[in-house]
Amino acid sequence: MLDAYLNRKPEFEILPISAQDCVSMSALHGERFAKGWGDGEFHSLLSQKNVFGYAARQTKGFFKPPLSGFVLAREAAGEAEILTIAVSSKLPRSGLGWRLMQAVMREAGTRGGTSLFLEVDDGNQAALGLYRKLGFEKVGERPSYYVAPDGSRSTALVMRRDLR
Ligand SMILES: CC(C)(COP(=O)(O)OP(=O)(O)OC[C@H]1O[C@@H](n2cnc3c(N)ncnc32)[C@H](O)[C@@H]1OP(=O)(O)O)[C@@H](O)C(=O)NCCC(=O)NCCS
């Protein structure tokens, strides 16, 4: 009985993001990306009415569960875009990226979006795997778009998916 409790798989809930999540978003973003965004940048994004997002948090075992993942998107005139998505490196391939994307795609459609765009480094296998599984297709390429801390450059792929 105790074994079953201790070894049970964590459960997560996906909820709309709020301004109170900005510090946690900035911390998780800094953990997953070479170029961090400050909590002020997240506040500024969330103050825009057409920006929205979702957070993944563990449901049990914590008084105040840490942020396990989040996604932010923007919708304008029928076109939506993913601004950023990150899942904790402690929870690889747990399905949170998929669930966060499903939530944001549904909301983008509800807000009138008919297509969803994103940009991804062509060497980011995890993100490319996720986006391809979700049905995104490459619609453009920006060579030498990203600059790594060591100065090396990589290509950004622009991907798109229908929301209808
Ligand atoms: C990209 C990211 C959000 C994926 O989140 P995740 O929660 O691990 O993804 P999921 O568990 O939902 O995986 C869904 C699918 O994506 C693909 N995928 C996920 N990780 C993968 C990996 N390391 N290699 C190849 N495919 C992968 C698989 O198709 C997977 O489905 P499967 O496990 O049934 O095969 C996460 O790796 C991350 O935060 N990376 C750092 C930040 C980042 O690169 N963000 C994207 C910027 S464009």
Side-chain angles (χ1 to χ4, degrees), residues 47-103:
S47 68
Q48 299 169 32
K49 280 204 168 72
N50 58 352
V51 172
F52 54 98
Y54 289 87
R57 288 183 192 280
Q58 218 164 313
T59 51
K60 290 176 190 143
F62 289 98
F63 174 60
K64 194 177 173 212
L67 198 65
S68 301
F70 73 94
V71 60
L72 274 189
R74 175 161 42 210
E75 192 282 324
E79 279 191 5
E81 60 172 328
I82 298 295
L83 299 173
T84 187
I85 177 169
V87 170
S88 166
S89 55
K90 297 186 191 83
L91 296 159
R93 228 149 169 173
S94 306
L96 293 183
W98 171 268
R99 290 177 62 188
L100 287 163
M101 286 295 294
Q102 293 290 349

Side-chain angles (χ1 to χ4, degrees), residues 10-68:
E11 289 166 26
F12 297 90
E13 58 186 355
I14 309 288
L15 294 171
I17 207 106
S18 78
Q20 287 163 348
D21 297 312
C22 288
V23 171
S24 309
M25 277 195 282
S26 173
L28 183 50
H29 191 274
E31 182 203 317
R32 299 305 325 248
F33 291 95
K35 187 174 177 291
W37 293 2
D39 53 308
E41 288 173 78
F42 284 104
H43 265 291
S44 153
L45 281 170
L46 281 178
S47 68
Q48 299 169 32
K49 280 204 168 72
N50 58 352
V51 172
F52 54 98
Y54 289 87
R57 288 183 192 280
Q58 218 164 313
T59 51
K60 290 176 190 143
F62 289 98
F63 174 60
K64 194 177 173 212
L67 198 65
S68 301

